[in-house]
Amino acid sequence: MRCFIMGGTGFIGSALLAFLQEQGHQVTALVRPGSSVRVRGVEEVEGDVLGGGAWQERIPESDVVINLVGSSILTRWTEKAKKTILDT
């Protein structure tokens, strides 16, 4: 299966990338310019998930698209933090 992951450099995303690859799937990760994934063999595509770009042309090539972009859940769960997580 061909998987396209947005947010693959985060806590959950990096573990998911490794898991999918171990299962034999072809994985592509959208990363911010200057960032990189920590899993060998994962194809990286640079771009901004909030803006358009050439990375969007890769979506139709994929069987699965996973969006993990948003606020980090690794924080103190104050009311403000919970609102930010839910809103982004």
Side-chain angles (χ1 to χ4, degrees):
M1 189 170 8
R2 294 172 304 208
C3 306
F4 188 92
I5 300 180
M6 298 173 279
T9 60
F11 179 68
I12 294 172
S14 56
L16 182 59
L17 291 175
F19 174 78
L20 290 171
Q21 204 170 41
E22 288 171 5
Q23 299 300 309
H25 302 294
Q26 177 185 339
V27 183
T28 302
L30 177 66
V31 298
R32 289 177 287 216
S35 182
S36 66
V37 298
R38 297 172 200 96
V39 180
R40 242 172 143 179
V42 170
E43 181 182 359
E44 298 177 14
V45 176
E46 284 191 357
D48 177 7
V49 74
L50 299 177
W55 67 269
Q56 292 175 313
E57 297 170 9
R58 303 297 300 274
I59 300 293
E61 303 169 1
S62 305
D63 299 309
V64 174
V65 177
I66 301 168
N67 182 6
L68 298 174
V69 174
S71 295
S72 176
I73 62 170
L74 297 175
T75 186
R76 181 175 291 264
W77 282 58
T78 62
E79 291 305 315
K80 182 180 177 182
K82 288 188 270 187
K83 182 173 178 7
T84 300
I85 291 167
L86 290 173
D87 290 347
T88 56

